[in-house]
Amino acid sequence: MSLKIFNALEHQKTDSGFTLAQAINSGIKNSDSSIGVYAGDAQSYKTFSLLFDPIICEYHEFSKNKKHKPDISRLILPSLDPEEKYIRSTRIRVARNLKGFSFPCHISLSQRRKLEKKIVSALDRLKDDLRGKYYSFESIDEKELKRLKKENLWFQKGDRFQDAAGINSDFPKCRGIFHSFDKRFMVWVNEEDHLRIISLERTSDISSVYNRLSRALPTLNQNLDFSRDKTYGYLTSCPTNIGTSMRAGVHIRLEKLERNKDLLHDLVRTYNLQIRGTGGEKTKIRHAVFDISNRQRLGISESRIIQNLHNGLLAIIKAEQNL
Ligand code: ARG
């Protein structure tokens, strides 16, 4: 941040009292941050636009005169890995925050409580295969907790980046997860965003995972008013997540490409994808299992993200087969 921007923003505050010092605290405490800033509420994107706009434009390759057009209509795509040789699982998530509440790095305990109640009552209204149960981290028993951890239906207290941002305040109070009885649909409550809405399967069937999510979102939207901006789409704690707020990806085993990392990185760059570690963000690759997902979330529609990912994964699988 230039001194000019710092001077302009130093004494600014949003209506809920979120300051520049809070927005940049995570990046200051963690010099290895790649982004380093968080929004404390929807208004942060306007109040601190001098700081946020350049980060957003660079990360998403976006310019403010470009329109962000959503499209979450259903898709039918050919199977990626019909013999299930490479892809272990497919997961698509979106993030949502509710209008009228501060974001998780700047929310009081009583507001978090109110929010949790509101979200849980909306989740109770889900129908058919989306029906499920909410597990509060405050009241969950040991046995259930062990099961959720084992089945990977669980989120941990935030890492040092989220911690410095303020996201862990009052943890584990008002946090929990909802999962459908078939365990293919899940919602994290009060993690980095108010909601992380997740569809997942231990298959390579991207259309099925995506269509489940596109079915769930309008139902949830009937009872929850999501924070959204004309230019920036859905607003989230981290500016990397705005727009569609969608991260769609697979866990894929690439034994040969692991030994040909340059080729893999070239393909990932060509299709505008990103690689994360086997255990999630900022973790290592284990047993050649890569987490490959879309990088851009703003200025691109939901269905385009899925189509690009599908094209990229086809190319990656082909490269693995040819080696
Ligand atoms: N703040 C962290 C950094 O700058 C994480 C950025 C993206 N990840 C996220 N979970 N929001 O490196």
Side-chain angles (χ1 to χ4, degrees):
M1 176 173 35
S2 71
L3 193 58
K4 207 170 135 210
I5 295 181
F6 178 79
N7 287 337
L9 299 181
E10 192 188 356
H11 301 294
Q12 300 289 325
K13 260 187 192 173
T14 65
D15 292 343
S16 76
F18 192 69
T19 63
L20 177 69
Q22 287 172 288
I24 62 176
N25 193 53
S26 184
I28 298 222
K29 297 269 160 65
N30 299 287
S31 55
D32 55 340
S33 291
S34 58
I35 306 291
V37 303
Y38 288 88
D41 50 23
Q43 206 193 352
S44 304
Y45 283 95
K46 294 219 159 72
T47 308
F48 305 112
S49 63
L50 284 177
L51 172 68
F52 278 67
D53 283 354
I55 296 174
I56 290 168
C57 292
E58 190 184 324
Y59 180 88
H60 298 277
E61 291 168 30
F62 187 71
S63 71
K64 270 194 131 174
N65 48 27
K66 234 171 147 183
K67 268 255 172 305
H68 174 74
K69 284 200 210 88
D71 169 20
I72 195 149
S73 52
R74 308 191 85 192
L75 279 176
I76 300 174
L77 295 167
S79 176
L80 265 177
D81 179 18
E83 290 166 43
E84 312 277 332
K85 269 175 80 178
Y86 306 98
I87 295 180
R88 302 292 187 82
S89 60
T90 305
R91 178 187 190 273
I92 308 176
R93 64 88 164 144
V94 295
R96 293 287 185 270
N97 290 286
L98 299 198
K99 270 193 198 146
F101 290 87
S102 287
F103 292 175
C105 50
H106 182 57
I107 194 169
S108 66
L109 181 59
S110 65
Q111 288 293 93
R112 254 200 221 277
R113 181 73 68 205
K114 202 169 148 196
L115 197 60
E116 183 192 29
K117 279 206 178 119
K118 218 176 154 77
I119 296 170
V120 172
S121 85
L123 292 170
D124 275 344
R125 298 209 173 99
L126 289 167
K127 297 232 160 55
D128 306 322
D129 62 321
L130 300 174
R131 282 177 54 246
K133 189 178 162 195
Y134 178 68
Y135 300 86
S136 147
F137 289 0
E138 280 173 81
S139 58
I140 192 166
D141 67 49
E142 277 295 310
K143 224 176 99 198
E144 284 286 19
L145 183 63
K146 240 175 136 179
R147 176 184 70 82
L148 291 180
K149 283 184 178 169
K150 203 172 133 215
E151 294 180 321
N152 231 343
L153 298 166
W154 162 258
F155 68 82
Q156 295 180 7
K157 187 172 179 175
D159 60 17
R160 63 190 159 88
F161 300 87
Q162 294 165 317
D163 195 68
I167 287 169
N168 287 338
S169 67
D170 302 307
F171 189 91
K173 289 190 177 137
C174 316
R175 272 68 163 197
I177 69 119
F178 167 95
H179 72 74
S180 61
F181 295 121
D182 70 3
K183 299 175 191 167
R184 292 179 161 200
F185 179 73
M186 165 163 91
V187 177
W188 293 358
V189 177
N190 281 324
E191 198 246 6
E192 184 175 309
D193 292 290
H194 296 156
L195 297 102
R196 286 289 177 98
I197 305 165
I198 303 157
S199 175
L200 68 166
E201 276 181 36
R202 285 185 201 287
T203 70
S204 63
D205 193 345
I206 295 192
S207 319
S208 157
V209 175
Y210 174 72
N211 291 335
R212 181 178 308 105
L213 190 68
S214 78
R215 220 158 16 89
L217 288 172
T219 318
L220 288 174
N221 207 182
Q222 278 169 11
N223 300 295
L224 299 171
D225 199 4
F226 300 137
S227 184
R228 211 173 171 281
D229 178 84
K230 256 211 222 92
T231 314
Y232 281 164
Y234 291 106
L235 297 178
T236 53
S237 298
C238 179
T240 61
N241 282 324
I242 60 170
T244 57
S245 74
M246 178 180 271
R247 194 169 85 85
V250 295
H251 269 185
I252 182 167
R253 192 165 150 93
L254 301 167
E255 280 185 324
K256 298 195 173 112
L257 279 168
E258 194 190 24
R259 284 179 252 121
N260 289 269
K261 285 229 176 69
D262 288 348
L263 176 56
L264 178 60
H265 288 295
D266 279 349
L267 285 163
V268 160
R269 221 169 298 121
T270 308
Y271 289 90
N272 208 0
L273 303 174
Q274 77 184 186
I275 294 180
R276 292 187 176 188
T278 317
E281 197 174 18
K282 303 185 200 270
T283 63
K284 291 212 172 75
I285 306 293
R286 277 183 286 112
H287 310 295
V289 177
F290 295 79
D291 176 327
I292 300 185
S293 61
N294 62 300
R295 186 182 138 77
Q296 186 191 7
R297 314 190 211 292
L298 171 70
I300 182 170
S301 72
E302 288 82 352
S303 60
R304 230 326 85 219
I305 287 178
I306 302 299
Q307 282 165 30
N308 285 352
L309 175 73
H310 191 269
N311 290 339
L313 289 171
L314 277 179
I316 288 170
I317 290 175
K318 205 163 171 195
E320 174 76 9
Q321 285 167 338
N322 288 341
L323 279 169

